[in-house]
Amino acid sequence: MINIPKGTKDVLPREAYKWHYIEDAARKTAELYNMKEIRTPVFEHTELFLRGVGDTTDIVNKEMYTFKDKGDRSITLKPEGTAGAARSFIENGMGGGVLPVKMYYITPAFRYERPQAGRLREFHQFGVEVYGSAAPDADAEVIFAAASFLKKLGIKDVKLNINSIGCKTCRARYNAALKAYLQPHLGEMCPTCRERFDKNPLRILDCKEEGCKKITHDAPRILDYLCDDCSEHFKKVQQLLTAGGLEFNIDPNIVRGLDYYTRTVFEFVSESIGAQGTVCGGGRYDGLIEELGGNHTPAVGFAAGIERLILLMENTGVAFPEDCGPEVFVAGMDDDSRLAAFKVVCKLREEGISAECDHMGKSIKAQFKYADKIGAKYVIALGCNELESGECNIKCMADGATSPVKICDICACFKNKMSEK
Ligand code: HAM
Protein backbone atom coordinates (compact mmCIF):
# COMPACT_ATOMS: atom_id res chain seq x y z
CA MET A 1 0.00 0.00 0.00
CA ILE A 2 1.18 3.52 -0.74
CA ASN A 3 0.78 5.78 2.29
CA ILE A 4 0.11 9.49 2.47
CA PRO A 5 3.32 11.61 2.62
CA LYS A 6 4.47 12.54 6.14
CA GLY A 7 3.04 15.84 7.36
CA THR A 8 0.04 15.80 5.03
CA LYS A 9 -3.57 14.92 5.77
CA ASP A 10 -6.60 13.79 3.82
CA VAL A 11 -9.79 15.70 4.43
CA LEU A 12 -12.23 12.81 4.51
CA PRO A 13 -15.81 13.08 3.24
CA ARG A 14 -17.07 12.67 6.81
CA GLU A 15 -15.18 15.76 8.01
CA ALA A 16 -15.30 17.98 4.92
CA TYR A 17 -18.28 19.87 6.38
CA LYS A 18 -15.91 21.38 8.99
CA TRP A 19 -13.75 22.78 6.21
CA HIS A 20 -16.78 24.12 4.37
CA TYR A 21 -17.95 25.81 7.55
CA ILE A 22 -14.60 27.54 8.09
CA GLU A 23 -14.19 28.46 4.43
CA ASP A 24 -17.72 29.83 4.36
CA ALA A 25 -17.03 31.96 7.47
CA ALA A 26 -13.81 33.18 5.80
CA ARG A 27 -15.61 34.22 2.61
CA LYS A 28 -18.43 35.88 4.55
CA THR A 29 -15.95 37.82 6.69
CA ALA A 30 -14.03 38.93 3.61
CA GLU A 31 -17.28 40.03 1.97
CA LEU A 32 -18.17 42.12 5.04
CA TYR A 33 -14.86 43.93 4.65
CA ASN A 34 -15.28 44.32 0.90
CA MET A 35 -12.33 42.08 0.10
CA LYS A 36 -12.26 40.22 -3.23
CA GLU A 37 -10.74 36.81 -3.74
CA ILE A 38 -7.37 36.31 -5.41
CA ARG A 39 -6.15 32.90 -6.58
CA THR A 40 -2.48 32.56 -7.38
CA PRO A 41 -0.58 29.45 -8.51
CA VAL A 42 0.44 26.78 -6.03
CA PHE A 43 4.01 27.13 -7.34
CA GLU A 44 6.05 30.20 -8.17
CA HIS A 45 9.61 30.98 -9.23
CA THR A 46 11.85 30.29 -6.22
CA GLU A 47 13.28 33.79 -6.51
CA LEU A 48 9.94 35.25 -5.41
CA PHE A 49 10.22 33.67 -1.97
CA LEU A 50 13.95 34.33 -1.64
CA ARG A 51 13.24 38.02 -2.10
CA GLY A 52 9.74 38.08 -0.66
CA VAL A 53 9.83 35.91 2.46
CA GLY A 54 13.53 36.62 3.03
CA ASP A 55 16.71 34.57 2.77
CA THR A 56 17.43 34.68 6.50
CA THR A 57 14.16 33.01 7.48
CA ASP A 58 13.73 29.37 8.47
CA ILE A 59 11.07 29.10 5.78
CA VAL A 60 13.50 29.93 2.99
CA ASN A 61 16.57 28.28 4.51
CA LYS A 62 15.11 25.01 5.67
CA GLU A 63 11.51 24.52 4.74
CA MET A 64 10.83 25.19 1.08
CA TYR A 65 9.72 22.53 -1.37
CA THR A 66 11.99 23.54 -4.23
CA PHE A 67 12.66 21.60 -7.40
CA LYS A 68 13.78 22.07 -10.97
CA ASP A 69 11.02 21.72 -13.57
CA LYS A 70 11.64 20.10 -16.95
CA GLY A 71 12.70 23.48 -18.32
CA ASP A 72 15.43 23.66 -15.65
CA ARG A 73 13.70 26.51 -13.79
CA SER A 74 13.83 26.59 -10.02
CA ILE A 75 10.27 26.28 -8.79
CA THR A 76 8.93 26.37 -5.22
CA LEU A 77 5.58 25.29 -3.79
CA LYS A 78 4.22 28.35 -2.00
CA PRO A 79 5.13 28.34 1.69
CA GLU A 80 2.59 31.13 2.36
CA GLY A 81 0.15 33.33 0.45
CA THR A 82 1.53 36.86 0.75
CA ALA A 83 4.41 36.72 -1.74
CA GLY A 84 2.22 35.35 -4.55
CA ALA A 85 -0.47 37.95 -3.88
CA ALA A 86 2.18 40.70 -3.94
CA ARG A 87 3.65 39.38 -7.19
CA SER A 88 0.22 39.36 -8.77
CA PHE A 89 -0.54 42.87 -7.46
CA ILE A 90 2.56 44.17 -9.29
CA GLU A 91 2.26 42.02 -12.40
CA ASN A 92 -1.38 42.97 -12.96
CA GLY A 93 -0.85 46.68 -12.38
CA MET A 94 -3.31 46.75 -9.48
CA GLY A 95 -1.46 49.69 -7.94
CA GLY A 96 -2.62 51.84 -10.88
CA GLY A 97 -6.28 51.22 -10.07
CA VAL A 98 -8.48 52.23 -7.15
CA LEU A 99 -6.68 51.99 -3.83
CA PRO A 100 -6.73 50.40 -1.38
CA VAL A 101 -6.85 46.99 -3.04
CA LYS A 102 -8.35 44.56 -0.56
CA MET A 103 -8.06 40.87 -1.26
CA TYR A 104 -8.33 37.47 0.39
CA TYR A 105 -7.32 33.92 -0.41
CA ILE A 106 -7.86 30.38 0.78
CA THR A 107 -4.84 28.40 -0.27
CA PRO A 108 -2.72 25.35 0.47
CA ALA A 109 0.83 26.14 1.62
CA PHE A 110 3.87 23.91 1.95
CA ARG A 111 6.68 23.93 4.50
CA TYR A 112 9.11 21.11 5.18
CA GLU A 113 8.76 21.31 8.96
CA ARG A 114 8.90 18.60 11.62
CA PRO A 115 5.27 17.48 11.78
CA GLN A 116 3.44 17.68 15.11
CA ALA A 117 -0.03 18.64 16.33
CA GLY A 118 -0.98 21.77 14.40
CA ARG A 119 2.16 21.68 12.26
CA LEU A 120 1.96 20.07 8.85
CA ARG A 121 3.98 20.06 5.66
CA GLU A 122 0.91 20.83 3.62
CA PHE A 123 -1.52 23.11 5.41
CA HIS A 124 -4.14 25.67 4.41
CA GLN A 125 -4.43 29.36 5.05
CA PHE A 126 -7.21 31.89 4.92
CA GLY A 127 -5.34 35.14 4.30
CA VAL A 128 -6.15 38.77 3.75
CA GLU A 129 -3.97 41.47 2.16
CA VAL A 130 -4.69 45.20 1.91
CA TYR A 131 -2.50 47.26 -0.45
CA GLY A 132 -2.12 51.00 -0.72
CA SER A 133 -2.81 52.43 2.74
CA ALA A 134 -0.06 53.46 5.13
CA ALA A 135 -2.62 54.57 7.71
CA PRO A 136 -2.94 52.78 11.07
CA ASP A 137 -6.62 52.43 10.19
CA ALA A 138 -5.66 49.73 7.68
CA ASP A 139 -3.71 47.80 10.36
CA ALA A 140 -6.71 48.05 12.67
CA GLU A 141 -9.12 46.99 9.95
CA VAL A 142 -7.08 43.89 9.15
CA ILE A 143 -6.84 42.96 12.84
CA PHE A 144 -10.59 43.48 13.23
CA ALA A 145 -11.20 41.29 10.17
CA ALA A 146 -9.18 38.48 11.79
CA ALA A 147 -11.00 38.94 15.09
CA SER A 148 -14.43 38.92 13.50
CA PHE A 149 -13.55 35.79 11.52
CA LEU A 150 -12.55 33.99 14.74
CA LYS A 151 -15.69 35.29 16.46
CA LYS A 152 -17.88 34.11 13.59
CA LEU A 153 -16.47 30.62 14.13
CA GLY A 154 -17.38 30.80 17.82
CA ILE A 155 -13.73 30.75 18.93
CA LYS A 156 -13.24 32.47 22.27
CA ASP A 157 -10.08 30.86 23.54
CA VAL A 158 -7.59 33.18 21.80
CA LYS A 159 -5.58 36.19 22.87
CA LEU A 160 -4.50 38.96 20.57
CA ASN A 161 -0.84 39.96 20.98
CA ILE A 162 0.56 42.93 19.10
CA ASN A 163 3.93 44.58 18.70
CA SER A 164 5.71 47.04 16.46
CA ILE A 165 9.04 46.14 14.92
CA GLY A 166 9.50 49.60 13.44
CA CYS A 167 10.88 50.67 10.09
CA LYS A 168 14.35 50.26 8.57
CA THR A 169 15.67 53.25 10.52
CA CYS A 170 14.55 52.20 13.97
CA ARG A 171 15.40 48.56 13.26
CA ALA A 172 19.02 49.47 12.46
CA ARG A 173 19.35 51.26 15.81
CA TYR A 174 17.64 48.41 17.62
CA ASN A 175 19.72 45.70 15.92
CA ALA A 176 22.90 47.47 17.03
CA ALA A 177 21.65 47.64 20.65
CA LEU A 178 20.45 44.04 20.58
CA LYS A 179 23.76 42.80 19.19
CA ALA A 180 25.71 44.71 21.79
CA TYR A 181 23.58 43.06 24.48
CA LEU A 182 23.84 39.55 22.97
CA GLN A 183 27.55 39.63 22.05
CA PRO A 184 28.84 38.46 25.47
CA HIS A 185 26.34 35.53 25.42
CA LEU A 186 27.08 34.37 21.89
CA GLY A 187 28.88 31.21 23.07
CA GLU A 188 25.85 30.12 25.13
CA MET A 189 23.37 30.47 22.30
CA CYS A 190 22.09 27.68 20.01
CA PRO A 191 23.84 27.28 16.62
CA THR A 192 20.82 28.71 14.75
CA CYS A 193 20.83 31.86 16.87
CA ARG A 194 24.59 32.23 16.43
CA GLU A 195 23.90 32.34 12.69
CA ARG A 196 20.99 34.75 13.21
CA PHE A 197 23.26 37.08 15.18
CA ASP A 198 24.87 38.42 12.01
CA LYS A 199 22.09 37.94 9.51
CA ASN A 200 18.93 38.87 11.43
CA PRO A 201 19.38 39.31 15.21
CA LEU A 202 15.68 40.16 15.69
CA ARG A 203 14.81 36.52 14.99
CA ILE A 204 16.77 35.46 18.10
CA LEU A 205 13.88 36.85 20.17
CA ASP A 206 11.65 34.19 18.64
CA CYS A 207 13.91 31.22 19.56
CA LYS A 208 12.16 28.43 21.49
CA GLU A 209 15.41 27.01 23.02
CA GLU A 210 15.37 27.47 26.81
CA GLY A 211 18.98 28.72 26.90
CA CYS A 212 18.31 31.42 24.29
CA LYS A 213 15.03 32.38 25.94
CA LYS A 214 16.85 33.01 29.20
CA ILE A 215 19.41 35.20 27.47
CA THR A 216 16.83 37.26 25.59
CA HIS A 217 14.62 37.71 28.66
CA ASP A 218 16.41 40.93 29.63
CA ALA A 219 17.32 42.03 26.11
CA PRO A 220 16.54 45.60 25.00
CA ARG A 221 12.96 45.99 23.72
CA ILE A 222 12.29 47.14 20.18
CA LEU A 223 9.49 49.39 21.43
CA ASP A 224 12.08 51.56 23.19
CA TYR A 225 13.87 52.13 19.88
CA LEU A 226 10.96 53.13 17.64
CA CYS A 227 11.36 56.38 15.74
CA ASP A 228 8.71 59.07 16.31
CA ASP A 229 6.68 58.11 13.22
CA CYS A 230 6.63 54.41 14.04
CA SER A 231 5.82 55.14 17.66
CA GLU A 232 2.92 57.40 16.66
CA HIS A 233 1.66 54.77 14.20
CA PHE A 234 1.68 52.08 16.88
CA LYS A 235 -0.13 54.35 19.34
CA LYS A 236 -2.86 55.03 16.79
CA VAL A 237 -3.29 51.33 16.03
CA GLN A 238 -3.81 50.74 19.75
CA GLN A 239 -6.28 53.62 19.97
CA LEU A 240 -8.30 52.18 17.10
CA LEU A 241 -8.34 48.67 18.59
CA THR A 242 -9.48 50.08 21.92
CA ALA A 243 -12.11 52.25 20.24
CA GLY A 244 -13.51 49.14 18.52
CA GLY A 245 -13.57 47.23 21.81
CA LEU A 246 -10.87 44.71 20.93
CA GLU A 247 -8.72 43.53 23.84
CA PHE A 248 -5.01 43.04 23.18
CA ASN A 249 -1.67 42.58 24.92
CA ILE A 250 1.55 44.18 23.83
CA ASP A 251 4.16 41.46 23.43
CA PRO A 252 7.58 42.93 22.58
CA ASN A 253 8.85 39.48 21.67
CA ILE A 254 6.63 39.02 18.62
CA VAL A 255 8.95 39.32 15.65
CA ARG A 256 7.24 36.86 13.23
CA GLY A 257 9.02 34.32 11.07
CA LEU A 258 9.06 36.26 7.81
CA ASP A 259 11.40 39.09 6.87
CA TYR A 260 8.96 41.44 5.16
CA TYR A 261 7.29 42.93 8.20
CA THR A 262 7.55 46.58 9.19
CA ARG A 263 5.80 48.35 12.06
CA THR A 264 2.71 46.48 13.34
CA VAL A 265 2.90 42.72 13.85
CA PHE A 266 0.25 40.64 15.58
CA GLU A 267 -0.77 37.11 16.48
CA PHE A 268 -3.90 35.45 17.79
CA VAL A 269 -2.69 32.74 20.14
CA SER A 270 -4.37 29.91 22.02
CA GLU A 271 -3.05 27.79 24.85
CA SER A 272 -5.37 24.90 24.01
CA ILE A 273 -3.58 23.37 21.03
CA GLY A 274 -0.08 22.69 22.34
CA ALA A 275 3.19 24.20 21.21
CA GLN A 276 1.85 25.50 17.90
CA GLY A 277 -0.55 27.93 19.50
CA THR A 278 -0.60 30.70 16.91
CA VAL A 279 -3.79 30.31 14.90
CA CYS A 280 -3.46 33.57 13.01
CA GLY A 281 -0.58 35.93 12.36
CA GLY A 282 0.10 38.99 10.32
CA GLY A 283 1.27 42.54 10.15
CA ARG A 284 2.31 45.47 8.03
CA TYR A 285 4.85 45.04 5.23
CA ASP A 286 5.49 48.39 3.60
CA GLY A 287 8.65 47.37 1.74
CA LEU A 288 7.65 44.15 0.02
CA ILE A 289 6.07 45.48 -3.15
CA GLU A 290 9.14 47.63 -3.83
CA GLU A 291 11.45 44.73 -2.94
CA LEU A 292 9.68 42.69 -5.63
CA GLY A 293 10.08 45.41 -8.26
CA GLY A 294 6.84 47.41 -7.87
CA ASN A 295 6.26 51.03 -6.86
CA HIS A 296 6.38 51.81 -3.18
CA THR A 297 3.07 50.49 -1.80
CA PRO A 298 2.32 50.11 1.88
CA ALA A 299 0.53 46.87 2.76
CA VAL A 300 -0.86 44.93 5.67
CA GLY A 301 -2.42 41.48 6.06
CA PHE A 302 -2.81 38.26 8.01
CA ALA A 303 -3.18 34.54 7.52
CA ALA A 304 -4.92 31.96 9.70
CA GLY A 305 -4.16 28.24 9.50
CA ILE A 306 -7.31 26.22 8.84
CA GLU A 307 -5.98 22.97 10.39
CA ARG A 308 -5.07 24.84 13.58
CA LEU A 309 -8.52 26.42 13.71
CA ILE A 310 -10.16 23.01 13.42
CA LEU A 311 -7.87 21.64 16.14
CA LEU A 312 -8.68 24.58 18.40
CA MET A 313 -12.42 24.27 17.83
CA GLU A 314 -12.32 20.53 18.53
CA ASN A 315 -10.11 20.89 21.62
CA THR A 316 -12.24 23.62 23.15
CA GLY A 317 -15.64 22.15 22.31
CA VAL A 318 -16.67 24.83 19.82
CA ALA A 319 -19.51 23.22 17.90
CA PHE A 320 -19.53 22.85 14.15
CA PRO A 321 -22.99 22.89 12.62
CA GLU A 322 -24.06 19.32 12.01
CA ASP A 323 -23.24 17.65 8.74
CA CYS A 324 -26.54 17.40 6.86
CA GLY A 325 -27.77 14.24 5.21
CA PRO A 326 -30.13 14.40 2.22
CA GLU A 327 -33.55 15.98 2.66
CA VAL A 328 -35.27 12.84 1.44
CA PHE A 329 -34.55 9.20 0.69
CA VAL A 330 -36.90 7.47 -1.76
CA ALA A 331 -36.99 3.72 -1.35
CA GLY A 332 -38.28 1.25 -3.94
CA MET A 333 -39.31 -2.38 -3.45
CA ASP A 334 -39.27 -4.00 -6.87
CA ASP A 335 -38.02 -3.09 -10.35
CA ASP A 336 -40.97 -0.82 -11.18
CA SER A 337 -41.02 1.04 -7.90
CA ARG A 338 -37.19 1.37 -7.91
CA LEU A 339 -37.49 2.98 -11.34
CA ALA A 340 -40.22 5.27 -10.01
CA ALA A 341 -38.03 6.12 -6.98
CA PHE A 342 -35.14 6.96 -9.30
CA LYS A 343 -37.42 9.26 -11.36
CA VAL A 344 -38.69 11.04 -8.23
CA VAL A 345 -35.11 11.53 -6.98
CA CYS A 346 -34.06 12.99 -10.35
CA LYS A 347 -36.94 15.47 -10.22
CA LEU A 348 -36.27 16.44 -6.62
CA ARG A 349 -32.61 17.12 -7.44
CA GLU A 350 -33.63 19.16 -10.49
CA GLU A 351 -35.69 21.31 -8.11
CA GLY A 352 -32.68 21.81 -5.87
CA ILE A 353 -33.79 19.37 -3.16
CA SER A 354 -31.11 16.93 -2.03
CA ALA A 355 -32.38 13.42 -2.50
CA GLU A 356 -31.04 9.90 -2.49
CA CYS A 357 -32.13 6.40 -3.47
CA ASP A 358 -30.63 2.93 -3.27
CA HIS A 359 -27.95 1.73 -5.70
CA MET A 360 -27.06 -1.46 -3.88
CA GLY A 361 -30.14 -3.66 -4.35
CA LYS A 362 -30.96 -3.38 -0.63
CA SER A 363 -34.18 -4.75 0.87
CA ILE A 364 -36.77 -2.16 1.89
CA LYS A 365 -35.85 -2.64 5.57
CA ALA A 366 -32.17 -2.15 4.78
CA GLN A 367 -32.99 0.96 2.74
CA PHE A 368 -34.75 2.49 5.76
CA LYS A 369 -31.73 1.66 7.93
CA TYR A 370 -29.40 3.21 5.38
CA ALA A 371 -31.57 6.34 5.11
CA ASP A 372 -31.34 6.68 8.88
CA LYS A 373 -27.54 6.20 8.86
CA ILE A 374 -26.94 8.87 6.23
CA GLY A 375 -29.20 11.27 8.13
CA ALA A 376 -32.06 11.59 5.62
CA LYS A 377 -34.73 13.84 7.12
CA TYR A 378 -37.64 12.16 5.33
CA VAL A 379 -38.16 8.76 3.74
CA ILE A 380 -40.70 7.78 1.10
CA ALA A 381 -41.27 4.12 0.33
CA LEU A 382 -42.67 3.20 -3.08
CA GLY A 383 -44.08 -0.24 -3.89
CA CYS A 384 -46.68 -1.67 -6.26
CA ASN A 385 -49.55 -0.40 -4.04
CA GLU A 386 -48.22 3.14 -4.12
CA LEU A 387 -47.67 3.02 -7.88
CA GLU A 388 -51.21 1.74 -8.39
CA SER A 389 -52.92 4.30 -6.16
CA GLY A 390 -50.54 7.11 -7.11
CA GLU A 391 -50.22 7.94 -3.40
CA CYS A 392 -47.48 7.39 -0.86
CA ASN A 393 -46.44 8.45 2.65
CA ILE A 394 -43.69 10.83 3.65
CA LYS A 395 -42.12 9.66 6.89
CA CYS A 396 -40.35 12.20 9.07
CA MET A 397 -37.32 10.43 10.52
CA ALA A 398 -37.10 12.74 13.56
CA ASP A 399 -40.50 11.84 15.05
CA GLY A 400 -41.78 8.98 12.88
CA ALA A 401 -44.85 11.00 11.79
CA THR A 402 -46.21 10.19 8.34
CA SER A 403 -48.21 12.32 5.95
CA PRO A 404 -49.85 11.20 2.70
CA VAL A 405 -48.94 12.79 -0.63
CA LYS A 406 -49.64 12.08 -4.27
CA ILE A 407 -46.53 10.79 -6.03
CA CYS A 408 -46.91 13.52 -8.65
CA ASP A 409 -46.95 16.14 -5.85
CA ILE A 410 -43.80 15.00 -4.01
CA CYS A 411 -41.62 17.73 -5.53
CA ALA A 412 -44.12 20.52 -4.83
CA CYS A 413 -44.52 19.26 -1.26
CA PHE A 414 -40.75 19.39 -0.59
CA LYS A 415 -40.44 22.75 -2.30
CA ASN A 416 -43.07 24.03 0.14
CA LYS A 417 -41.19 22.53 3.07
CA MET A 418 -37.98 24.22 1.92
CA SER A 419 -39.62 27.62 1.48
CA GLU A 420 -41.08 27.37 5.01
CA LYS A 421 -37.55 26.98 6.46
P1 HAM B 1 2.65 32.62 9.30
O1 HAM B 1 2.61 33.06 10.72
O2 HAM B 1 3.87 31.99 8.81
O3 HAM B 1 2.33 33.92 8.45
O4 HAM B 1 1.44 31.67 9.02
C1 HAM B 1 0.12 32.06 9.28
C2 HAM B 1 -0.64 30.92 9.95
O5 HAM B 1 -0.53 29.74 9.15
C3 HAM B 1 -0.09 30.52 11.30
O6 HAM B 1 -0.57 31.34 12.32
C4 HAM B 1 -0.63 29.10 11.42
O7 HAM B 1 -1.97 29.11 11.86
C5 HAM B 1 -0.58 28.61 9.99
N1 HAM B 1 0.63 27.77 9.78
C6 HAM B 1 1.88 28.19 9.52
N2 HAM B 1 2.72 27.14 9.37
C7 HAM B 1 1.96 26.04 9.53
C8 HAM B 1 2.22 24.62 9.49
N3 HAM B 1 3.44 24.14 9.22
N4 HAM B 1 1.20 23.77 9.73
C9 HAM B 1 -0.05 24.24 9.99
N5 HAM B 1 -0.35 25.55 10.02
C10 HAM B 1 0.63 26.44 9.81
C11 HAM B 1 2.22 33.92 7.10
O8 HAM B 1 2.18 32.92 6.42
C12 HAM B 1 2.05 35.30 6.53
N6 HAM B 1 1.99 35.17 5.07
C13 HAM B 1 0.80 35.97 7.08
C14 HAM B 1 0.57 37.33 6.51
C15 HAM B 1 -0.29 37.67 5.52
N7 HAM B 1 1.22 38.43 6.85
C16 HAM B 1 0.79 39.44 6.12
N8 HAM B 1 -0.14 38.97 5.29
Side-chain angles (χ1 to χ4, degrees):
M1 196 184 79
I2 300 167
N3 292 324
I4 194 167
K6 197 173 165 185
T8 66
K9 266 191 178 170
D10 295 319
V11 176
L12 301 176
R14 64 167 180 263
E15 59 199 7
Y17 72 99
K18 296 181 181 175
W19 284 75
H20 298 161
Y21 178 60
I22 291 179
E23 288 165 7
D24 196 42
R27 289 182 198 285
K28 286 201 173 118
T29 305
E31 234 168 68
L32 274 180
Y33 284 78
N34 191 33
M35 291 160 177
K36 306 283 182 217
E37 184 175 9
I38 181 162
R39 299 187 190 195
T40 63
V42 160
F43 60 86
E44 298 269 2
H45 292 293
T46 302
E47 177 72 15
L48 175 69
F49 303 114
L50 296 184
R51 278 166 57 188
V53 173
D55 55 11
T56 66
T57 59
D58 284 354
I59 295 179
V60 164
N61 283 323
K62 300 185 197 157
E63 297 168 3
M64 293 211 300
Y65 278 89
T66 298
F67 55 94
K68 284 274 171 82
D69 71 4
K70 291 196 195 312
D72 207 32
R73 298 170 200 93
S74 181
I75 294 293
T76 294
L77 302 184
K78 59 163 106 162
E80 53 105 56
T82 308
R87 186 226 8 96
S88 179
F89 175 87
I90 301 166
E91 196 166 351
N92 292 293
M94 289 187 231
V98 182
L99 292 176
V101 171
K102 298 163 73 170
M103 49 172 94
Y104 78 93
Y105 48 83
I106 297 173
T107 183
F110 305 85
R111 297 182 193 174
Y112 192 83
E113 295 195 81
R114 200 165 41 78
Q116 64 180 90
R119 190 161 72 189
L120 292 145
R121 291 181 175 170
E122 184 197 32
F123 58 99
H124 297 77
Q125 291 185 333
F126 161 50
V128 151
E129 315 291 354
V130 173
Y131 295 100
S133 169
D137 312 52
D139 309 41
E141 177 170 277
V142 160
I143 296 172
F144 271 105
S148 65
F149 167 58
L150 298 172
K151 191 171 169 196
K152 203 182 274 296
L153 292 175
I155 290 174
K156 292 194 183 87
D157 184 45
V158 279
K159 279 192 181 138
L160 166 61
N161 296 327
I162 63 169
N163 190 22
S164 173
I165 55 168
C167 61
K168 266 188 186 159
T169 318
C170 24
R171 198 97 53 86
R173 283 200 306 131
Y174 176 66
N175 279 349
L178 185 61
K179 282 174 86 168
Y181 168 84
L182 292 173
Q183 180 81 56
H185 304 283
L186 210 52
E188 304 149 51
M189 290 188 322
C190 75
T192 315
C193 282
R194 285 205 291 273
E195 260 176 51
R196 287 168 173 160
F197 182 81
D198 284 321
K199 290 188 189 159
N200 191 353
L202 201 64
R203 299 270 315 119
I204 296 174
L205 299 181
D206 204 25
C207 183
K208 303 287 178 282
E209 296 285 330
E210 280 308 316
C212 299
K213 269 169 77 179
K214 252 190 205 157
I215 295 168
T216 53
H217 186 263
D218 297 323
R221 291 158 27 114
I222 179 93
L223 292 175
D224 298 327
Y225 290 79
L226 295 185
C227 65
D228 288 349
D229 283 353
C230 288
S231 186
E232 189 55 26
H233 185 97
F234 192 44
K235 247 188 235 152
K236 287 214 173 116
V237 172
Q238 293 174 59
Q239 264 173 13
L240 288 159
L241 296 182
T242 306
L246 204 54
E247 280 181 28
F248 59 88
N249 314 301
I250 296 175
D251 178 353
N253 280 332
I254 300 183
V255 296
R256 311 272 304 127
L258 305 104
D259 275 356
Y260 45 62
Y261 291 111
T262 52
R263 295 194 165 176
T264 316
V265 286
F266 63 91
E267 291 180 345
F268 286 84
V269 182
S270 166
E271 286 178 0
S272 305
I273 51 172
Q276 304 303 316
T278 308
V279 289
C280 172
R284 179 164 277 288
Y285 52 100
D286 291 346
L288 180 64
I289 297 289
E290 233 171 337
E291 175 65 39
L292 296 177
N295 295 327
H296 174 73
T297 310
V300 55
F302 75 77
I306 297 182
E307 287 83 354
R308 282 192 200 172
L309 292 171
I310 292 178
L311 195 64
L312 175 59
M313 290 171 73
E314 288 172 347
N315 284 6
T316 55
V318 177
F320 288 90
E322 271 187 32
D323 194 11
C324 295
E327 185 70 11
V328 54
F329 184 93
V330 188
M333 289 184 199
D334 51 19
D335 284 353
D336 287 347
S337 54
R338 280 173 178 275
L339 188 62
F342 185 76
K343 271 165 66 178
V344 171
V345 163
C346 287
K347 271 197 185 155
L348 283 163
R349 289 174 177 163
E350 252 172 49
E351 295 295 341
I353 296 151
S354 68
E356 182 68 294
C357 58
D358 175 47
H359 306 304
M360 305 286 288
K362 287 189 170 91
S363 70
I364 195 80
K365 199 173 153 197
Q367 287 183 61
F368 265 87
K369 261 194 179 164
Y370 176 73
D372 190 36
K373 263 196 191 148
I374 61 171
K377 289 194 195 79
Y378 296 94
V379 177
I380 297 171
L382 300 181
C384 49
N385 289 345
E386 283 76 13
L387 296 193
E388 229 176 86
S389 66
E391 282 214 2
C392 59
N393 278 314
I394 299 177
K395 180 176 177 185
C396 170
M397 297 299 273
D399 57 13
T402 58
S403 47
V405 65
K406 284 189 178 152
I407 295 177
C408 60
D409 289 342
I410 291 176
C411 267
C413 173
F414 277 96
K415 272 175 80 177
N416 272 345
K417 279 189 201 296
M418 300 298 274
S419 64
E420 281 165 14
K421 275 186 189 169

